[in-house]
Amino acid sequence: MSVAGAPVADPTSLASATGRALPRRVLALIADTVVISLLDAILNGTFGITRVTSGVATTVGSGGYSSFTTQTTVDWPWLALLWVTYYAVLEGFFSATLGKRLAGLRVTDLEGRRITWQAAIVRNVARLLDVLPFTYLLGGILTLATKRHQRLGDLLAGTIVVPLATVTYPPLPPVVRRRRVIGLAAVTATLLVVCGAFAYFGRPPLVIEGAKNTSEGIFTDGVSSYTLGSPRWGTGTVTYPITYEMARTTQTCRGFVTLNWNWGSAGWVFSSGETECSPRIYP
């Protein structure tokens, strides 16, 4: 939020300060990318489904084989939401992400004042355009070409990035800062607990879906569709009744599949499965 009566920096000095901030912005981007990659790994490892990304996962016949690569991810809109939220929340609360704080940078408005929540949101939603066509190419070109070294999000939100020493607005009161830090830490801890609980109790069907996508386990002969029954939980195991239809022969199969919790990788893995299929219909 803007601070009433805060000193307003000289526009000329601010413009030169944005130029001095450029090398630090690269370092901040690298640090923030590391943090976001860690958050992406948690999100993908908890809610992601394994999908074939290249090649073909086909039925394995006699003497045949399949060649393909896979990736376990959630849909891209959720990753984009995580990405934008990380930047918007930290810049809205503290005018800096973890990377910018390490690099000694702050985001301000064009007069050197603290940015508003609206500006923080607009600035970071526009990152979805700044990265086009890839790897921040548009954002990088605009940052180098514009007078105040603003990427598209800065131009839309009326913000700039400057070294901390240039900032003229007063720091947050200690009570407000402490309250925001505690609140953000509490929300983060709660979300991690939710992810941990879902990884154990909610992830098994996603693991089974990934096995179906890659023709693994009981799905090695190719399955067109399947349904799961109610799970039976044990200590570190879960068993699902399953009914599925073979892709090539349209046979209907029924049985069960069991997953074991692997403490080494903190994830579910296939243990065993037994099925019985209806008589095969030509071909």
Side-chain angles (χ1 to χ4, degrees), residues 33 51 57 62 76 78 81 87 113 116 119 122 125 133 159 173 189 205 211 213 228 234 236 257 260-261 267 276:
T33 299
R51 299 180 177 90
S62 176
W76 72 264
W78 295 107
L81 178 62
Y87 279 99
R113 297 173 299 194
T116 64
V122 171
V125 168
T159 57
N213 291 340
L228 298 176
V257 59
N260 282 349
W261 179 260
E276 183 175 341

Side-chain angles (χ1 to χ4, degrees), residues 181-200:
V181 170
I182 292 174
L184 186 59
V187 170
T188 301
T190 300
L191 292 176
L192 289 176
V193 170
V194 170
C195 287
F198 185 91
Y200 189 85

Side-chain angles (χ1 to χ4, degrees), residues 52 54-61 63-69 214-216 220 222:
V52 175
S54 64
V56 180
T58 59
T59 301
V60 180
Y65 66 94
S66 300
S67 178
F68 58 90
T69 59
T214 56
S215 298
E216 296 179 0
T220 53

